[in-house]
Amino acid sequence: MSSKSNRFIENVVSGLHLDPVQSTEIVDELQAHIEDRAQDLVDGGLSVDQALRQAAIELGESDLIAKGFYEVHSRRSWRHAFSGALPHILLALMFALHVWTEPVIVAVMLGTALVISVLGWRAGRPTWTFPWLGYCILIPLISWGLAMSAVGYGAWGVLTRGSLPLDIPIYIVSLAYIALSMWVVIKVVSRVARNDWLMASLTVLPIPFLAYWFLYFYNQKELFDQSANRIGLTLQEIDSTAAIIFLIMAAATIVFFRVGRRTVRLALLAITTPSMVVLAWLVYKSGIGALAVFAFAITSIAVLMSPALFDRTPKQILRTTLEKFQTRRNHE
Amino acid sequence: MLYRKELLKGSTETILLSVLSVQPMYGYQLVKEISGKSSGYLNFKEGTLYPALHRLEKDKYLTGYWDTSKNGQKRRYYKITALGQRRLVSMLSEWNEFSQAINLIAQPQLFKPN
């Protein structure tokens, strides 16, 4: 295969961001086209290399072709989009009805998310299950936060009093748990990001707002005290804002699935996340400074974009397809 | 030329469904068929053809399948579905009405209404 047609296929694969089966099929189809066209050109008098080069040029811009395929294959049905937005809608309902403090309801919600995520994971990981998976990731993340507090508390005790306030085994277990839970989260996110890191960003969409919300209540030290008034705000007002924010997440998820364009998806996630944090800050008036919220919003975007680090699939697919192509060539 | 490109872009679906309503074809064969039938007037930027075919397949107007030709080359063929046939009929009827209206405006002396 000429270097031009090789580069063409490389560029298409890099821009596809689809699952390996789909990517391989597309590459096979384009390769068949290049070979057919090249054969005609060879018959017309060109050398094989010239013909392959010309055939790749005639196919057009690889970036546009990849974008076209991505748009077609990543755009989802309304049903798919609503299924993906459903966990956010349920969370919005939980807050709107002020039932998020009911352990049974929280357990049912997390249990449902877990069941859907596990079943989805085993059934080829349909993308609508990823937002559900996001809530499952919360469980290790929150408990990771608690374990971190225990370790931080211990470190503080050593620094100030020269002794550990808790028993040593608690710290060992906490540290082991932190390592294990982070490994699980990173493993899951990297797996989701393998084909398209934007899917992993969609998965972790609620995390920045929930982190802000959790920190807010942690600051107020009244997490489960429903009767308390907080800085002029009732729990009902706080919950209504949270409900609206979850509805924004649901709407963003639906738009994400319905729009096939990658740039639009990226912009949607980049705008939604800091907007939710700023909205919460404006309503909650939690005494956090504008600069701190700005830093939090920037960190949120960084967290959401971090799955891009795991986006390695194009190279893997490329290697496989090129190896396959070389083998075929050698047989001929 | 730009106008032709725009017209072609807007008519891609109709052209592809029309050609495939005759027989199943693979991508490169479609390009040659369209170019040949239009005496070279309609030349697709070949790469854009494939996303268009995949879109039609996703919308269930076409079905795609792999088949091996006599020379051993594996190719992806596209076949029009019943839904695609219905879509084509409706698009052609729309097209006829549209072109008739354009003709009546642009060349009223040649195309007088009944």
Side-chain angles (χ1 to χ4, degrees), chain A residues 135-198:
Chain A
Y135 288 100
C136 296
I137 289 174
L138 278 176
I139 304 167
L141 278 185
I142 290 170
S143 47
W144 179 76
L146 294 174
M148 276 291 277
S149 320
V151 172
Y153 182 53
W156 182 248
V158 170
L159 285 173
T160 54
R161 293 192 300 274
S163 65
L164 286 168
L166 300 170
D167 292 337
I168 289 175
I170 294 176
Y171 297 107
I172 295 171
V173 170
S174 296
L175 284 169
Y177 180 75
I178 290 169
L180 181 71
S181 59
M182 285 317 283
W183 180 79
V184 169
V185 170
I186 290 173
K187 196 85 183 155
V188 168
V189 171
S190 66
R191 198 70 188 267
V192 172
R194 192 174 277 183
N195 297 331
D196 183 0
W197 64 268
L198 281 181

Side-chain angles (χ1 to χ4, degrees), chain B residues 29-114:
Chain B
Q29 189 183 4
L30 265 167
V31 172
K32 287 208 292 189
E33 183 76 7
I34 293 165
S35 180
K37 276 194 170 172
S38 66
S39 308
Y41 184 83
L42 298 176
N43 275 317
F44 271 100
K45 196 72 186 168
E46 297 169 10
T48 58
L49 172 87
Y50 288 97
L53 285 168
H54 281 232
R55 182 174 291 112
L56 288 169
E57 189 183 0
K58 204 174 178 200
D59 292 340
K60 298 188 171 34
Y61 297 135
L62 298 178
T63 47
Y65 60 93
W66 287 94
D67 202 1
T68 310
S69 65
K70 282 172 196 163
N71 61 6
Q73 172 74 287
K74 259 184 85 181
R75 295 189 181 102
R76 194 154 203 273
Y77 285 79
Y78 293 91
K79 185 182 175 185
I80 194 164
T81 61
L83 187 67
Q85 292 280 11
R86 287 201 293 276
R87 171 87 174 149
L88 177 62
V89 170
S90 128
M91 286 175 95
L92 286 177
S93 142
E94 191 82 29
W95 171 255
N96 285 334
E97 284 171 26
F98 179 78
S99 56
Q100 207 175 353
I102 292 286
N103 286 332
L104 286 171
I105 293 167
Q107 298 168 294
Q109 67 282 13
L110 293 177
F111 299 92
K112 285 177 190 159
N114 297 327

Side-chain angles (χ1 to χ4, degrees), chain A residues 202-248:
Chain A
L202 181 75
T203 306
V204 298
L205 182 65
I207 289 176
F209 166 68
L210 282 170
Y212 184 88
W213 178 84
F214 194 78
L215 284 175
Y216 170 73
F217 275 104
Y218 191 76
N219 256 353
Q220 303 300 313
K221 311 243 184 261
E222 293 162 350
L223 184 56
F224 295 105
D225 183 1
Q226 292 201 52
S227 60
N229 285 327
R230 294 171 182 78
I231 321 170
L233 278 181
T234 63
L235 190 63
Q236 285 205 344
E237 286 169 313
I238 293 170
D239 283 0
S240 304
T241 308
I244 290 168
I245 288 173
F246 280 108
L247 283 180
I248 293 173

Side-chain angles (χ1 to χ4, degrees), chain A residues 54-69:
Chain A
Q54 184 61 27
I57 290 169
E58 285 177 11
L59 264 168
E61 283 179 49
S62 52
D63 292 352
L64 283 179
I65 296 167
K67 269 185 198 167
F69 278 120

